[in-house]
Amino acid sequence: FRTFALEEERLTSFLPRKWKVVVTGCPTDCAAVKLHCLAFTPARGADGTLGYNVHAGGGLSDSPRVADALDLFVTPDRVTDMVRATLQTYCDLGDFEHKAVNRFRVLVHQLGPERITEELRRRLPYEVPGAGESLWTGEFEDHLGVHEDRHGSHVVGLCIPMGRLTDEEWFEVARLARTHGDGGVRMSQRQNLLLTGIGDVDALLREPFLDTYRPEPDQFERAIVACTSAPFCKFAIDDMKTNGRKLIAHLREHVPDEGRERLEGLRIHMSGCKASCAQVQAAQIGLRATMTKDEEAYQQALDVSLGGDLGAGRLGQWVRLEDTIEDTWDSVTEILRAVCAGELTLDDVTPAGVGAYFSERGSDLDG
Ligand code: HEM
Ligand code: SF4
């Protein structure tokens, strides 16, 4: 990519204000494909060649949008050309005067996926076939746990709650990777770690590190993604990693054990401001830091969104604004209790589903 950047100085000097590309070989959606400006997902072309289908126009922050699938198929050697054609399209047609709309998704939204596809084709030096047979399910996956790889060894996904380790723990990760595996450590989109090429899985599972950073964590630990936030991010209104730990403790205490298996696939994403680094709108429950005030004082608060499900092509919607942190913990607890009791499913955790559930009981979310 660096070579490409040097060659194409003009293009890379006139990027939109943010530019995110994903190339995934995985059949599941472990990369949040639909939230990217440009994405390549595994597909088979008409002649049986393996390559990628192309998606464009996803993004979050102020004006979130789910990417459209384009009618294009590229072989791996043509991915760079497609990225170049996309940047040329943005350079030629994008809005560089107004920062608020200086994102590729805005152009895709304005022109529509068919016109964008035409513009890309016009800027490629060869004919590009239409989309191939998709080998991508779009289903949510976090890759935690023990999985056999193609070589007879294993990949072990460890849950790193809040995605934060100390420097000493990183050295321990390196030791584990070298002692038990092929030395490979992959960082996942959900802030977890995958150790690759593991020979003796049982020996790895006996390591004390895995008592804390577990391949089979509980559903609450597994659900939470928290952004960098305070004290390391200058935009942060609050420290979402600490809030995340507090929420896990609260849920462990207040959600009954019975029925917790119904929480499999739960996602709770927590961002410290509107930038959405933790992809709040991709979770069934999204929490975003804000402030609230009464007659006497300001205090930290949270906005709550419900219903994000990229597999269903749906972003979460904001249902509560400026709730106190305590009220928010209680609301989340009530929703998850209802799921554990079988009164709601995770698919019902949407504004409509949760709204109907609480109004039948004569209360609102925190009532
Ligand atoms: C101190 C650290 C960070 C700062 C200052 C920061 C800043 C920002 C800003 C300003 C935006 C809004 C972009 C826009 O409006 O177009 C943004 C969006 C985003 N950031 Fe971060 N970020 C930080 C860390 C991270 C990390 C660690 C990740 C993930 C690994 C991340 C993932 C994202 C994502 C997914 C978005 C949404 C992009 C979109 O709108 O499509 N950020 N970030
Ligand atoms: S969401 Fe906001 S607070 Fe969190 S890391 Fe991104 S910019 Fe910082």
Side-chain angles (χ1 to χ4, degrees):
F1 200 77
R2 188 174 298 153
T3 316
F4 164 64
L6 288 172
E7 283 167 12
E8 306 286 347
E9 209 173 313
R10 182 181 78 95
L11 293 180
T12 50
S13 303
F14 289 94
L15 291 170
R17 72 164 194 266
K18 188 168 187 129
W19 173 243
K20 305 177 305 168
V21 180
V22 62
V23 183
T24 176
C26 183
T28 66
D29 188 26
C30 52
V33 159
K34 290 291 192 177
L35 298 183
H36 287 75
C37 308
L38 186 64
F40 298 86
T41 55
R44 187 180 285 114
D47 62 357
T49 327
L50 289 179
Y52 302 100
N53 283 344
V54 184
H55 310 249
L60 289 174
S61 58
D62 286 332
S63 50
R65 186 175 190 280
V66 175
D68 293 297
L70 303 185
D71 191 17
L72 293 168
F73 171 81
V74 287
T75 44
D77 56 316
R78 291 180 166 186
V79 166
T80 309
D81 290 342
M82 185 59 78
V83 176
R84 184 185 292 111
T86 314
L87 290 177
Q88 277 163 348
T89 303
Y90 196 79
C91 248
D92 296 343
L93 305 174
D95 185 338
F96 287 91
E97 272 179 48
H98 305 98
K99 193 174 167 193
V101 292
N102 183 232
R103 291 287 303 266
F104 186 59
R105 65 167 179 264
V106 175
L107 188 65
V108 176
H109 194 70
Q110 280 165 355
L111 301 185
E114 289 80 18
R115 167 88 190 277
I116 287 287
T117 306
E118 272 171 38
E119 297 292 342
L120 295 176
R121 285 186 191 282
R122 281 181 35 203
R123 288 169 177 80
L124 286 162
Y126 39 72
E127 283 292 309
V128 178
E133 175 203 349
S134 177
L135 303 175
W136 182 70
T137 64
E139 280 168 20
F140 170 72
E141 171 62 57
D142 62 13
H143 293 305
L144 293 187
V146 178
H147 307 276
E148 194 169 348
D149 64 21
R150 287 184 193 173
H151 316 289
S153 49
H154 290 79
V155 176
V156 179
L158 304 180
C159 181
I160 312 294
M162 311 308 130
R164 187 163 280 173
L165 292 174
T166 64
D167 48 358
E168 278 167 17
E169 287 170 329
W170 274 113
F171 281 113
E172 180 62 359
V173 169
R175 187 190 69 77
L176 295 178
R178 289 187 181 129
T179 308
H180 299 285
D182 60 11
V185 180
R186 307 280 174 92
M187 286 184 236
S188 82
Q189 189 265 350
R190 295 187 64 75
Q191 310 182 308
N192 298 314
L193 290 180
L194 310 186
L195 304 184
T196 59
I198 303 296
D200 185 346
V201 172
D202 290 336
L204 174 65
L205 296 180
R206 283 195 297 273
E207 291 278 1
F209 187 85
L210 274 73
D211 295 340
T212 309
Y213 300 107
R214 298 180 288 166
E216 300 290 348
D218 72 33
Q219 296 299 0
F220 308 126
E221 222 168 47
R222 191 168 194 155
I224 294 193
V225 169
C227 75
T228 308
S229 63
F232 300 112
C233 172
K234 66 176 180 176
F235 298 113
I237 296 169
D238 204 348
D239 172 357
M240 303 316 275
K241 304 238 186 235
T242 302
N243 275 335
R245 287 195 189 92
K246 287 183 183 163
L247 177 56
I248 290 172
H250 185 93
L251 295 174
R252 281 181 180 156
E253 193 180 335
H254 293 98
V255 175
D257 287 341
E258 205 179 322
R260 282 193 189 178
E261 69 283 355
R262 295 196 174 98
L263 298 175
E264 196 181 330
L266 173 68
R267 297 179 301 282
I268 303 176
H269 294 187
M270 306 175 68
S271 274
C273 80
K274 281 173 75 180
S276 268
C277 298
Q279 304 177 330
V280 273
Q281 298 94 332
Q284 294 103 342
I285 300 176
L287 305 175
R288 176 176 70 187
T290 183
M291 301 288 289
T292 187
K293 69 175 188 315
D294 59 20
E295 302 286 297
E296 289 170 9
Y298 281 87
Q299 61 174 311
Q300 306 282 25
L302 291 165
D303 298 333
V304 181
S305 98
L306 294 179
D309 182 352
L310 295 181
R314 198 174 63 216
L315 294 174
Q317 290 176 344
W318 299 103
V319 293
R320 310 277 311 177
L321 297 178
E322 299 180 9
D323 271 359
T324 64
I325 291 182
E326 295 70 28
D327 283 349
T328 306
W329 286 181
D330 290 343
S331 303
V332 175
T333 305
E334 285 314 306
I335 294 170
L336 298 187
R337 264 182 208 264
V339 175
C340 290
E343 292 161 0
L344 285 175
T345 67
L346 279 184
D347 288 340
D348 297 327
V349 181
T350 60
V354 170
Y357 175 81
F358 283 103
S359 66
E360 267 170 33
R361 279 153 187 79
S363 66
D364 68 6
L365 260 186
D366 56 356

